[in-house]
Short mmCIF file of all heavy atoms in Angstrom, two decimals:
data_model
loop_
_atom_site.label_atom_id
_atom_site.label_comp_id
_atom_site.label_asym_id
_atom_site.label_seq_id
_atom_site.Cartn_x
_atom_site.Cartn_y
_atom_site.Cartn_z
N MET A 1 -18.97 4.46 -8.19
CA MET A 1 -19.26 5.81 -7.71
C MET A 1 -20.47 5.83 -6.78
O MET A 1 -20.60 6.70 -5.94
CB MET A 1 -19.49 6.75 -8.90
CG MET A 1 -18.29 6.90 -9.83
SD MET A 1 -16.80 7.47 -8.98
CE MET A 1 -17.28 9.14 -8.57
N ALA A 2 -21.39 4.86 -6.96
CA ALA A 2 -22.58 4.79 -6.11
C ALA A 2 -22.24 4.32 -4.71
O ALA A 2 -22.98 4.60 -3.76
CB ALA A 2 -23.61 3.87 -6.73
N GLU A 3 -21.13 3.61 -4.57
CA GLU A 3 -20.71 3.15 -3.24
C GLU A 3 -19.61 4.07 -2.72
O GLU A 3 -19.69 5.28 -2.90
CB GLU A 3 -20.28 1.68 -3.32
CG GLU A 3 -21.45 0.76 -3.68
CD GLU A 3 -21.10 -0.70 -3.67
OE1 GLU A 3 -20.05 -1.08 -3.14
OE2 GLU A 3 -21.89 -1.49 -4.21
N SER A 4 -18.59 3.55 -2.11
CA SER A 4 -17.58 4.41 -1.49
C SER A 4 -16.24 4.33 -2.22
O SER A 4 -15.80 3.24 -2.60
CB SER A 4 -17.37 4.00 -0.02
OG SER A 4 -16.31 4.75 0.54
N LEU A 5 -15.62 5.48 -2.40
CA LEU A 5 -14.27 5.55 -2.95
C LEU A 5 -13.29 6.13 -1.93
O LEU A 5 -12.15 6.42 -2.26
CB LEU A 5 -14.25 6.41 -4.22
CG LEU A 5 -14.49 5.67 -5.53
CD1 LEU A 5 -14.54 6.65 -6.68
CD2 LEU A 5 -13.41 4.63 -5.78
N GLU A 6 -13.76 6.29 -0.70
CA GLU A 6 -12.90 6.87 0.32
C GLU A 6 -11.63 6.06 0.51
O GLU A 6 -10.56 6.60 0.76
CB GLU A 6 -13.67 6.97 1.65
CG GLU A 6 -12.89 7.68 2.75
CD GLU A 6 -13.69 7.79 4.02
OE1 GLU A 6 -14.90 7.49 3.99
OE2 GLU A 6 -13.11 8.17 5.06
N GLY A 7 -11.77 4.75 0.38
CA GLY A 7 -10.61 3.89 0.56
C GLY A 7 -9.56 4.04 -0.51
O GLY A 7 -8.41 3.64 -0.32
N ALA A 8 -9.94 4.64 -1.67
CA ALA A 8 -8.94 4.90 -2.70
C ALA A 8 -7.87 5.83 -2.16
O ALA A 8 -6.69 5.73 -2.53
CB ALA A 8 -9.60 5.50 -3.94
N ASN A 9 -8.26 6.73 -1.28
CA ASN A 9 -7.28 7.63 -0.66
C ASN A 9 -6.31 6.85 0.22
O ASN A 9 -5.12 7.16 0.26
CB ASN A 9 -8.01 8.69 0.19
CG ASN A 9 -8.87 9.61 -0.66
OD1 ASN A 9 -8.48 10.01 -1.75
ND2 ASN A 9 -10.05 9.90 -0.18
N ASN A 10 -6.84 5.84 0.94
CA ASN A 10 -5.97 5.01 1.77
C ASN A 10 -4.93 4.30 0.91
O ASN A 10 -3.75 4.21 1.27
CB ASN A 10 -6.79 3.99 2.55
CG ASN A 10 -7.66 4.62 3.61
OD1 ASN A 10 -7.60 5.82 3.83
ND2 ASN A 10 -8.46 3.82 4.26
N ASP A 11 -5.40 3.74 -0.23
CA ASP A 11 -4.47 3.08 -1.15
C ASP A 11 -3.40 4.05 -1.63
O ASP A 11 -2.22 3.71 -1.73
CB ASP A 11 -5.22 2.53 -2.37
CG ASP A 11 -5.80 1.15 -2.13
OD1 ASP A 11 -5.39 0.51 -1.14
OD2 ASP A 11 -6.63 0.71 -2.93
N LEU A 12 -3.84 5.26 -1.93
CA LEU A 12 -2.91 6.27 -2.44
C LEU A 12 -1.86 6.62 -1.38
O LEU A 12 -0.68 6.75 -1.69
CB LEU A 12 -3.68 7.51 -2.86
CG LEU A 12 -2.93 8.53 -3.71
CD1 LEU A 12 -2.38 7.89 -4.97
CD2 LEU A 12 -3.84 9.70 -4.06
N MET A 13 -2.31 6.74 -0.14
CA MET A 13 -1.38 7.04 0.94
C MET A 13 -0.37 5.91 1.13
O MET A 13 0.80 6.14 1.42
CB MET A 13 -2.13 7.29 2.26
CG MET A 13 -3.11 8.45 2.24
SD MET A 13 -2.37 10.05 1.85
CE MET A 13 -3.00 10.31 0.19
N VAL A 14 -0.85 4.66 0.96
CA VAL A 14 0.05 3.50 1.07
C VAL A 14 1.07 3.52 -0.06
O VAL A 14 2.27 3.34 0.16
CB VAL A 14 -0.75 2.18 1.06
CG1 VAL A 14 0.18 0.99 0.87
CG2 VAL A 14 -1.53 2.02 2.36
N CYS A 15 0.59 3.73 -1.28
CA CYS A 15 1.49 3.73 -2.44
C CYS A 15 2.58 4.79 -2.32
O CYS A 15 3.74 4.55 -2.67
CB CYS A 15 0.70 3.97 -3.72
SG CYS A 15 -0.35 2.60 -4.22
N LEU A 16 2.18 5.96 -1.83
CA LEU A 16 3.14 7.07 -1.74
C LEU A 16 3.91 7.06 -0.43
O LEU A 16 4.80 7.90 -0.24
CB LEU A 16 2.39 8.41 -1.90
CG LEU A 16 1.59 8.56 -3.20
CD1 LEU A 16 0.92 9.92 -3.24
CD2 LEU A 16 2.49 8.37 -4.40
N GLU A 17 3.53 6.14 0.47
CA GLU A 17 4.21 6.00 1.77
C GLU A 17 4.26 7.34 2.50
O GLU A 17 5.28 7.73 3.08
CB GLU A 17 5.62 5.44 1.56
CG GLU A 17 5.63 4.10 0.83
CD GLU A 17 7.03 3.62 0.49
OE1 GLU A 17 7.76 3.26 1.42
OE2 GLU A 17 7.37 3.59 -0.72
N LEU A 18 3.13 8.06 2.49
CA LEU A 18 3.09 9.40 3.08
C LEU A 18 3.02 9.35 4.61
O LEU A 18 3.54 10.24 5.28
CB LEU A 18 1.89 10.17 2.54
CG LEU A 18 2.01 10.60 1.07
CD1 LEU A 18 0.78 11.40 0.65
CD2 LEU A 18 3.27 11.44 0.86
N TYR A 19 2.35 8.35 5.17
CA TYR A 19 2.25 8.25 6.62
C TYR A 19 3.29 7.31 7.20
O TYR A 19 3.80 7.52 8.29
CB TYR A 19 0.84 7.78 7.02
CG TYR A 19 -0.22 8.82 6.76
CD1 TYR A 19 -1.23 8.57 5.84
CD2 TYR A 19 -0.20 10.05 7.40
CE1 TYR A 19 -2.21 9.52 5.58
CE2 TYR A 19 -1.17 11.00 7.15
CZ TYR A 19 -2.18 10.73 6.24
OH TYR A 19 -3.14 11.68 5.98
N HIS A 20 3.60 6.25 6.48
CA HIS A 20 4.60 5.28 6.92
C HIS A 20 4.97 4.41 5.73
O HIS A 20 4.31 4.43 4.68
CB HIS A 20 4.06 4.42 8.07
CG HIS A 20 2.61 4.09 7.95
ND1 HIS A 20 2.10 3.34 6.92
CD2 HIS A 20 1.55 4.45 8.72
CE1 HIS A 20 0.79 3.23 7.07
NE2 HIS A 20 0.43 3.90 8.14
N SER A 21 6.01 3.63 5.89
CA SER A 21 6.46 2.74 4.81
C SER A 21 5.52 1.54 4.71
O SER A 21 4.59 1.39 5.50
CB SER A 21 7.88 2.26 5.08
OG SER A 21 7.91 1.44 6.24
N PHE A 22 5.76 0.69 3.73
CA PHE A 22 4.95 -0.52 3.57
C PHE A 22 4.96 -1.37 4.84
O PHE A 22 4.03 -2.11 5.11
CB PHE A 22 5.46 -1.37 2.41
CG PHE A 22 5.28 -0.74 1.05
CD1 PHE A 22 5.92 -1.28 -0.06
CD2 PHE A 22 4.49 0.37 0.87
CE1 PHE A 22 5.77 -0.73 -1.32
CE2 PHE A 22 4.32 0.95 -0.38
CZ PHE A 22 4.96 0.40 -1.48
N GLY A 23 6.03 -1.28 5.60
CA GLY A 23 6.18 -2.13 6.78
C GLY A 23 7.02 -3.37 6.51
O GLY A 23 7.26 -4.16 7.41
N PHE A 24 7.44 -3.52 5.27
CA PHE A 24 8.30 -4.64 4.88
C PHE A 24 8.89 -4.31 3.52
O PHE A 24 8.48 -3.36 2.85
CB PHE A 24 7.49 -5.94 4.80
CG PHE A 24 6.50 -5.97 3.67
CD1 PHE A 24 6.79 -6.63 2.49
CD2 PHE A 24 5.26 -5.33 3.78
CE1 PHE A 24 5.88 -6.66 1.44
CE2 PHE A 24 4.35 -5.34 2.74
CZ PHE A 24 4.66 -6.01 1.57
N SER A 25 9.87 -5.10 3.12
CA SER A 25 10.46 -4.96 1.80
C SER A 25 10.09 -6.16 0.95
O SER A 25 9.96 -7.28 1.46
CB SER A 25 11.99 -4.84 1.90
OG SER A 25 12.59 -4.94 0.61
N TYR A 26 9.91 -5.95 -0.33
CA TYR A 26 9.65 -7.08 -1.22
C TYR A 26 10.75 -8.13 -1.12
O TYR A 26 10.51 -9.32 -1.34
CB TYR A 26 9.55 -6.60 -2.67
CG TYR A 26 8.25 -5.89 -3.03
CD1 TYR A 26 8.04 -5.40 -4.31
CD2 TYR A 26 7.23 -5.71 -2.10
CE1 TYR A 26 6.86 -4.76 -4.67
CE2 TYR A 26 6.06 -5.07 -2.44
CZ TYR A 26 5.88 -4.59 -3.73
OH TYR A 26 4.71 -3.96 -4.08
N LYS A 27 11.95 -7.68 -0.79
CA LYS A 27 13.07 -8.61 -0.66
C LYS A 27 12.89 -9.58 0.50
O LYS A 27 13.57 -10.61 0.55
CB LYS A 27 14.38 -7.83 -0.49
CG LYS A 27 14.79 -7.04 -1.72
CD LYS A 27 16.16 -6.41 -1.57
CE LYS A 27 16.15 -5.29 -0.55
NZ LYS A 27 17.46 -4.59 -0.49
N ASP A 28 11.98 -9.25 1.42
CA ASP A 28 11.72 -10.15 2.55
C ASP A 28 10.90 -11.38 2.14
O ASP A 28 10.85 -12.37 2.87
CB ASP A 28 10.96 -9.40 3.65
CG ASP A 28 11.75 -8.24 4.22
OD1 ASP A 28 12.99 -8.29 4.17
OD2 ASP A 28 11.12 -7.27 4.70
N VAL A 29 10.25 -11.31 0.99
CA VAL A 29 9.39 -12.41 0.53
C VAL A 29 10.27 -13.51 -0.06
O VAL A 29 11.04 -13.27 -0.99
CB VAL A 29 8.38 -11.90 -0.51
CG1 VAL A 29 7.57 -13.07 -1.07
CG2 VAL A 29 7.45 -10.87 0.12
N LYS A 30 10.14 -14.71 0.47
CA LYS A 30 10.98 -15.84 0.04
C LYS A 30 10.26 -16.79 -0.91
O LYS A 30 10.88 -17.70 -1.45
CB LYS A 30 11.46 -16.62 1.27
CG LYS A 30 12.16 -15.75 2.32
CD LYS A 30 13.32 -14.95 1.72
CE LYS A 30 14.00 -14.08 2.78
NZ LYS A 30 15.05 -13.21 2.18
N LEU A 31 8.97 -16.62 -1.10
CA LEU A 31 8.24 -17.46 -2.03
C LEU A 31 8.58 -17.09 -3.47
O LEU A 31 9.01 -15.97 -3.75
CB LEU A 31 6.73 -17.28 -1.81
CG LEU A 31 6.14 -17.86 -0.54
CD1 LEU A 31 4.69 -17.41 -0.39
CD2 LEU A 31 6.22 -19.38 -0.54
N PRO A 32 8.39 -18.01 -4.42
CA PRO A 32 8.58 -17.66 -5.83
C PRO A 32 7.59 -16.57 -6.25
O PRO A 32 6.43 -16.59 -5.84
CB PRO A 32 8.31 -18.97 -6.57
CG PRO A 32 8.43 -20.04 -5.54
CD PRO A 32 8.04 -19.43 -4.24
N VAL A 33 8.06 -15.63 -7.04
CA VAL A 33 7.23 -14.52 -7.53
C VAL A 33 7.34 -14.47 -9.05
O VAL A 33 8.45 -14.56 -9.59
CB VAL A 33 7.67 -13.18 -6.93
CG1 VAL A 33 6.85 -12.02 -7.50
CG2 VAL A 33 7.57 -13.20 -5.40
#
């Protein structure tokens, strides 16, 4: 709280895909998961 939490909003926007999609699908990843 003493530093910045502004970026938490950016994470939230990414999670909810409010501005755009992730830009890729998890299915595109070919490495073992």
Side-chain angles (χ1 to χ4, degrees):
M1 298 303 292
E3 294 184 15
S4 175
L5 270 176
E6 185 178 350
N9 296 319
N10 291 356
D11 274 346
L12 194 56
M13 299 301 108
V14 168
C15 289
L16 303 181
E17 303 173 69
L18 289 182
Y19 291 116
H20 36 64
S21 66
F22 293 168
F24 68 100
S25 170
Y26 284 180
K27 293 186 291 185
D28 298 333
V29 175
K30 306 306 180 185
L31 290 172
V33 177

